[in-house]
Amino acid sequence: MPLNALALVLVAALLHAGWNIVAKKSNGGRHFVLMGALMVVTIWSPLGAVLAWQHAPAWGWQAWALLLASAVAHLLYFNALLAGYRAADLTVVYPVARGTGPLVSASAAVLLLDETLGLRGAAGVLGITGGVFLIAGGPALWSATHDPARRARLRAGLAWGALTGLLIASYTVIDGVLVKVMLVSPILVDWLGNVLRVPFLLPGALADRAGFVREWRQQWKAALLLGAISPLSYVLVLYAVQMAPLSHVAPAREVSMLFAALLGGRLLGEADRGARLLGAACIAAGVMALAWA
């Protein structure tokens, strides 16, 4: 992977872990995704609108269909992620999601984009698998059977994390095709994706106006931070995808798990930080092995 692409991925990883901490601490409710989308559309509209005016008229139906599919995949991803954060610890949901995503997206890139992984892929798979086991509780998973509440929380984290990872893989591959094959600007992929998500979310807010207003008053600052940081972290990744193979970039960006495991333990007071940091290190080593394969 070129060094400039790796640098973009590392900056994006730190930003990504940061906004996930914000999302977890906000305990975002059912309207938080709409609030975040509205903030993204508003904050980034000067640049997004200009680029759309310049480039969108030249697109065919295939590009618009992929943009719509990306918007739906991102919408499902955000909802699954927030549901997981409400049901379990960030240091379970986040690493499982980020560990599952690159495995599926890298495999899809090999199948759909004719990319190759190499022999290091097997080591990467083992690293990710072992890391996910440690993050989820490691040997303590067995003892958790004596604590129904803890067992239920771990299982919820594993389930929501795996679902979120599959959705990450879905939008990663779709967006990779958009920027590598369709040559759509990464900024437009993210901005228009948020624009297209708003119509899906508005009916729920209109049906529960009092709830939306209440959540807005409580969480607008968190939504503002998400709107400012989340697009930047993902746009940097998409620019890296233009410079390097998707099957390398998608795993490499999962170094964000190291930041999240550390921040989640310190800022959120989540337990078993040592084992989870070790697991995050294993996953990071695994995804880097995949990235360098």
Side-chain angles (χ1 to χ4, degrees):
M1 181 186 301
L3 289 179
N4 54 354
L6 181 59
L8 291 177
V9 170
L10 292 176
V11 174
L14 181 58
L15 293 173
H16 192 275
W19 77 252
N20 272 266
I21 296 293
V22 171
K24 171 64 175 178
K25 287 178 71 69
S26 73
N27 195 30
R30 57 179 297 199
H31 300 302
F32 189 73
V33 177
L34 173 59
M35 291 162 56
L38 290 174
M39 288 294 189
V40 171
V41 172
T42 302
I43 294 171
W44 292 81
S45 61
L47 181 58
V50 170
L51 290 176
W53 179 267
Q54 293 174 342
H55 300 287
W59 296 342
W61 68 267
Q62 297 94 336
W64 285 106
L66 286 174
L67 282 168
L68 180 58
S70 173
V72 173
H74 276 274
L75 177 60
L76 295 173
Y77 154 73
F78 274 115
N79 279 284
L81 183 68
L82 291 175
Y85 286 167
R86 290 192 295 269
D89 289 351
L90 175 142
T91 40
V92 173
V93 177
Y94 187 81
V96 172
R98 305 313 304 186
T100 305
L103 289 176
V104 180
S105 56
S107 300
V110 171
L111 295 174
L112 300 177
L113 300 177
D114 295 326
E115 297 181 0
T116 58
L117 285 174
L119 296 178
R120 291 192 180 122
V125 171
L126 291 176
I128 291 172
T129 302
V132 168
F133 175 70
L134 288 172
I135 287 290
L141 282 173
W142 299 177
S143 62
T145 56
H146 304 297
D147 184 347
R150 186 182 178 193
R151 182 174 66 247
R153 192 169 181 82
L154 281 171
R155 287 180 176 176
L158 289 170
W160 284 112
L163 175 60
T164 303
L166 291 175
L167 292 169
I168 289 171
S170 299
Y171 73 66
T172 298
V173 173
I174 294 170
D175 294 348
V177 173
L178 280 167
V179 300
K180 293 182 76 72
V181 180
M182 300 290 182
L183 302 180
V184 177
S185 166
I187 296 173
L188 284 179
V189 170
D190 189 85
W191 186 73
L192 285 176
N194 280 278
V195 172
L196 292 172
R197 281 195 285 278
V198 170
F200 290 97
L201 296 165
L202 274 178
L206 293 175
D208 182 26
R209 295 182 184 181
F212 179 80
V213 172
R214 182 173 58 253
E215 287 191 30
W216 181 272
R217 291 173 177 171
Q218 295 172 347
Q219 300 169 347
W220 71 268
K221 292 181 181 179
L224 177 62
L225 285 172
L226 186 146
I229 297 174
S230 174
L232 180 58
S233 68
Y234 192 56
V235 166
L236 291 177
V237 168
L238 292 180
Y239 275 115
V241 168
Q242 290 185 325
M243 302 175 186
L246 175 63
S247 58
H248 293 189
V249 173
R253 67 181 295 221
E254 305 315 329
V255 294
S256 61
M257 291 177 295
L258 291 173
F259 302 127
L262 176 61
L263 293 174
R266 286 187 177 274
L267 299 181
L268 303 178
E270 297 178 355
D272 301 324
R273 194 178 70 196
R276 289 174 175 178
L277 279 175
L278 178 60
C282 290
I283 297 174
V287 295
M288 291 305 290
L290 284 172
W292 292 332

